[in-house]
Amino acid sequence: MTAREAGIAPALPVGWRRHVEPAWLEGWQPETVALQGGSTDVIVMGEGPPLLLLPPLPGYKEAWIGVAWRLARSHRVVTFDQRAPLAGHEPWSAQLDDLERVAEAFAPGPAIVVGHSLGGALAQRWALLRPERVRALVLSSSFARVGITRGQWRKRYVEQSLVLMAQRILPERLAAPLARRLARRGAWVYDASCDERLLAFIRFCIRRQSIAVAAARVRQAFAHDTRGRLGEIRCPTLILVGERETAWARAASVELGRLIPNAEQRVSPEAAHLHPLSRPAWLAETVTEWLRTVSCARAALVTP
């Protein structure tokens, strides 16, 4: 039984590969792994220190397609489709159990954990639950809570809804040029680095995403609040955010940096919320260089 058949971790349907750079597909060979009550598709590539990539809403591992092969040059990269929240169930406990199972199978021992947006919320929770398993933490465009920033309601609720609806229901001949215009002016989560191929990939995902699953994940995001516990995190932490993200997203990253002891921060130039896809080289290079710095600092501490 596949993840999609089991209804546990919805997988991106076949056909998305034609919309991404061929180089991004290097080593992208999913395997099905059993979870409690179903299964998920897992990607494992590269050799070196284990590095877990936790995807954002809607939970597709392909959110990391532009970054994974780059990080796999120096790390054993593991990523997987996230379990869909179920009505009436507490989602975090099941997703933490999934993360534990996948990590135990493919990244035993302390691992580097990288989470984008809602994936960053899961990464925070695992770092708090299992601090001995998190060697270093990277939170990309994530949040301790979903705050409400004055003046952003139109972009968050009106613009986002209109973009999603248009890209989901308009015919391709209308949706494609509209996406190009939206990217040029930085609408929704787009930025000017979103090229034709990437916009088609995002549109493919939008059109095949279950509205019920997306709504459940949004509710999960709004219920997340780790502000009272982030001071307990002691591992090296890097916080990333796009320069052209919304004011509330940038404020959320600042809040994370204030709450997590000794966290470092970096800004992805000219990028919006999609920067793992629109600026994957910057993200991979920034994370790799930061991890090298962290490793050197640790080595200096233990050198006689």
Side-chain angles (χ1 to χ4, degrees):
M1 180 178 292
T2 67
R4 189 160 54 245
E5 290 169 341
I8 296 297
L12 195 58
V14 176
W16 63 269
R17 289 173 178 255
R18 69 179 181 270
H19 296 303
V20 302
E21 297 286 345
W24 291 12
L25 297 171
E26 181 182 336
W28 196 267
Q29 298 295 332
E31 55 182 289
T32 301
V33 173
L35 300 175
Q36 184 68 35
S39 60
T40 189
D41 288 343
V42 179
I43 295 291
V44 183
M45 61 171 72
E47 298 295 334
L51 188 152
L52 292 160
L53 294 174
L54 307 183
L57 186 158
Y60 298 141
K61 61 188 176 302
E62 284 78 15
W64 294 112
I65 187 68
V67 176
W69 66 279
R70 291 178 162 95
L71 291 175
R73 294 167 176 167
S74 54
H75 293 81
R76 177 179 172 83
V77 172
V78 180
T79 188
F80 61 101
D81 292 316
Q82 296 293 306
R83 176 188 295 259
L86 300 175
H89 291 74
E90 202 290 309
W92 294 111
S93 59
Q95 289 176 353
L96 286 165
D97 181 69
D98 295 344
L99 176 51
E100 188 76 29
R101 288 170 183 261
V102 171
E104 195 61 35
F106 301 105
I112 300 150
V113 182
V114 183
H116 181 69
S117 195
L118 190 58
L122 180 61
Q124 294 166 45
R125 288 173 176 264
W126 203 48
L128 291 167
L129 180 68
R130 297 294 305 276
E132 76 283 359
R133 295 286 276 113
V134 181
R135 177 184 171 193
L137 185 62
V138 180
L139 303 175
S140 170
S141 301
S142 193
F143 48 88
R145 55 155 179 176
V146 177
I148 299 176
T149 303
R150 290 179 180 174
Q152 290 292 302
W153 67 270
R154 185 184 299 275
K155 189 170 185 67
R156 177 183 283 181
Y157 299 111
V158 178
E159 180 180 272
Q160 175 175 280
S161 299
L162 290 175
V163 171
L164 286 170
M165 185 182 301
Q167 291 297 288
R168 188 178 181 95
I169 67 175
L170 287 178
E172 186 69 14
R173 62 184 178 80
L174 298 177
L178 174 61
R180 289 195 295 272
R181 291 196 296 273
L182 292 170
R184 282 196 297 270
R185 69 180 187 86
W188 186 42
V189 294
Y190 296 138
D191 60 56
S193 296
C194 295
D195 61 16
E196 193 81 17
R197 180 173 277 174
L198 177 55
L199 292 170
F201 173 67
I202 299 302
R203 191 159 53 253
F204 181 94
C205 297
I206 292 172
R207 294 186 176 194
R208 287 152 182 85
Q209 171 59 42
S210 160
I211 294 176
V213 170
R217 294 205 190 279
V218 170
R219 290 193 296 271
Q220 182 182 3
F222 273 86
H224 172 75
D225 190 344
T226 49
R227 287 174 295 167
R229 294 198 59 199
L230 289 180
E232 300 170 27
I233 293 178
R234 291 293 180 266
C235 66
T237 301
L238 177 64
I239 297 169
L240 307 175
V241 70
E243 182 182 18
R244 298 198 178 279
E245 295 204 51
T246 59
W248 79 263
R250 297 194 305 273
S253 292
V254 170
E255 183 174 48
L256 282 173
R258 177 174 57 81
L259 294 172
I260 299 175
N262 302 313
E264 299 182 47
Q265 302 197 37
R266 305 283 190 277
V267 176
S268 181
E270 301 294 321
H273 195 68
L274 278 178
H275 63 91
L277 287 165
S278 67
R279 297 278 181 140
W282 179 90
L283 192 151
E285 290 165 7
T286 299
V287 170
T288 301
E289 181 57 34
W290 178 75
L291 289 171
R292 187 178 298 118
T293 302
V294 168
S295 297
C296 289
R298 279 192 177 133
L301 288 174
V302 300
T303 300

